[in-house]
Amino acid sequence: MSPLCSQCSSPQARPCVCGQAAYCNTACQRSAWPSHKNVCPAVSVQGRSLVASRNISAGQIMTTLSPLLYLDRSDPAAFSSLFHQFQGLEDSSKQQIGCMFDDQDVYKTLETPALRDNQDIQAFLLTISLEEFETLMKVIQVMCNFGIPCEKYCLLFLNLKTDSKPNCVIEQKLGTGALQFNVRADAHVLRGAVVTVQRKVKKYNVKDSSLERGIAKTDDKDIEVVFKALDCDNDGYLSKNEFENALNLIKLFSKEEADDLFIKADHDCDGKIGLEDFLLFVKKYR
């Protein structure tokens, strides 16, 4: 049986895409819109995607989302926090994340410099079981493959898709006391369109990368400021560990990838990277 029109109670009405009202024609729908727009969400979940429920103008906030999982890339203890986040999820969400794992060798994940040289996670791994260790490595791989970078965070949303030509951007919503992100239309989004954002770091490609916390300009003084910030022991050089940690502010690199980049940056082959080496590396691969 067809629902009644929410405006005039006529039969044969068609439900609104939000499912909270129905209308028999466009005239009734337009008449009801001033009040209905307050309860009609701009997006709805269809399958595993967010879909625009109506035409959205550029700059309009379409929805506000809380990530299912997040990783604070500035916090060395973030991986243990990620594990506890996952453990606190409902079973259905855990299963969805499990389906995103692509059967890579979980032990190779631990070889990446961001994990191998992280004393916090090494200490944390001693406190969990082998099964829990394998679960954490799988979750980290899912975050690397599907996480969306936003400022210092890597975020996992199950229904928010990525695209090379996205129609939306995400930005942190401040002042709420919770970790929430606005999804804002970056262009005119038509009704029925899938909401997409961009993954800033999609794959290993050093020419498309920049070191987070800083390399946005090619001015030597700016690059020198970044170099000093990365030189943790202030000895005037970047050790291999310091260089790999800087790379892994962008994403998790394999040991082979990090070693290859260190060799490229170490122009004078002395086993460490001085300021001149760093300047040449940044200008060549920015």
Side-chain angles (χ1 to χ4, degrees), residues 216-280:
K217 302 178 180 179
T218 57
D219 184 84
D220 287 3
K221 290 184 178 179
D222 293 330
I223 299 175
E224 184 177 356
V225 170
V226 176
F227 177 84
K228 290 180 178 179
L230 298 175
D231 181 16
C232 298
D233 56 7
N234 298 313
D235 66 349
Y237 296 93
L238 297 185
S239 66
K240 193 171 185 179
N241 284 343
E242 289 172 333
F243 183 74
E244 289 177 351
N245 288 336
L247 291 176
N248 283 286
L249 289 173
I250 305 169
K251 58 164 284 184
L252 296 180
F253 285 86
S254 69
K255 185 178 185 304
E256 291 76 15
E257 291 169 342
D259 287 346
D260 180 62
L261 291 176
F262 184 81
I263 292 171
K264 286 181 169 64
D266 184 16
H267 292 86
D268 53 10
C269 303
D270 62 354
K272 54 188 177 182
I273 298 173
L275 177 58
E276 291 302 318
D277 288 334
F278 192 67
L279 286 168
L280 291 172

Side-chain angles (χ1 to χ4, degrees), residues 19-275:
Q20 300 184 48
Y23 303 101
C24 61
N25 55 47
T26 56
C28 281
Q29 186 176 22
R30 288 172 179 168
S31 296
W33 179 243
S35 59
H36 180 60
K37 68 179 180 181
N38 296 320
V39 296
C40 183
V43 297
S44 59
V45 178
Q46 297 185 21
R48 293 188 177 181
S49 300
L50 290 178
V51 177
S53 301
R54 56 180 182 267
N55 293 341
I56 306 295
S57 301
Q60 181 178 343
I61 294 177
M62 300 183 67
T63 188
T64 299
L65 302 173
S66 295
L68 191 65
L69 295 173
Y70 68 89
L71 185 70
D72 183 344
R73 295 179 291 174
S74 67
D75 182 5
F79 294 106
S80 58
S81 172
L82 180 66
F83 173 78
H84 293 302
Q85 290 174 49
F86 179 79
Q87 292 296 87
L89 294 177
E90 296 181 354
D91 289 341
S92 58
S93 296
K94 290 180 180 179
Q95 290 174 1
Q96 285 181 283
I97 294 175
C99 291
M100 300 167 73
F101 176 65
D102 61 4
D103 257 352
Q104 299 175 21
D105 184 351
V106 295
Y107 292 93
K108 286 187 177 180
T109 304
L110 193 60
E111 297 176 4
T112 58
L115 300 182
R116 187 189 66 227
D117 302 327
N118 186 320
Q119 295 182 355
D120 292 272
I121 192 171
Q122 295 295 334
F124 175 70
L125 293 179
L126 296 176
T127 68
I128 60 177
S129 67
L130 178 61
E131 181 180 359
E132 290 172 330
F133 161 77
E134 293 179 346
T135 297
L136 176 58
M137 294 301 107
K138 290 179 180 180
V139 172
I140 291 174
Q141 285 191 12
V142 169
M143 293 294 287
C144 290
N145 293 332
F146 298 97
I148 299 172
C150 181
E151 298 176 3
K152 66 177 182 177
Y153 295 105
C154 181
L155 310 167
L156 184 67
F157 303 96
L158 289 184
N159 299 316
L160 186 57
K161 304 301 181 184
T162 59
D163 193 89
S164 58
K165 296 181 179 179
N167 51 27
C168 294
V169 295
I170 58 172
E171 52 196 22
Q172 187 174 1
K173 183 178 181 179
L174 302 176
T176 64
L179 190 62
Q180 295 181 319
F181 294 83
N182 291 328
V183 180
R184 187 185 299 275
D186 198 36
H188 187 67
V189 182
L190 297 177
R191 174 181 174 179
V194 174
V195 176
T196 57
V197 297
Q198 186 174 33
R199 283 199 75 201
K200 294 181 180 179
V201 182
K202 298 178 69 176
K203 60 182 180 179
Y204 168 63
N205 186 345
V206 70
K207 290 188 178 181
D208 293 336
S209 300
S210 61
L211 292 180
E212 227 165 324
R213 298 180 181 175
I215 305 175
K217 302 178 180 179
T218 57
D219 184 84
D220 287 3
K221 290 184 178 179
D222 293 330
I223 299 175
E224 184 177 356
V225 170
V226 176
F227 177 84
K228 290 180 178 179
L230 298 175
D231 181 16
C232 298
D233 56 7
N234 298 313
D235 66 349
Y237 296 93
L238 297 185
S239 66
K240 193 171 185 179
N241 284 343
E242 289 172 333
F243 183 74
E244 289 177 351
N245 288 336
L247 291 176
N248 283 286
L249 289 173
I250 305 169
K251 58 164 284 184
L252 296 180
F253 285 86
S254 69
K255 185 178 185 304
E256 291 76 15
E257 291 169 342
D259 287 346
D260 180 62
L261 291 176
F262 184 81
I263 292 171
K264 286 181 169 64
D266 184 16
H267 292 86
D268 53 10
C269 303
D270 62 354
K272 54 188 177 182
I273 298 173
L275 177 58

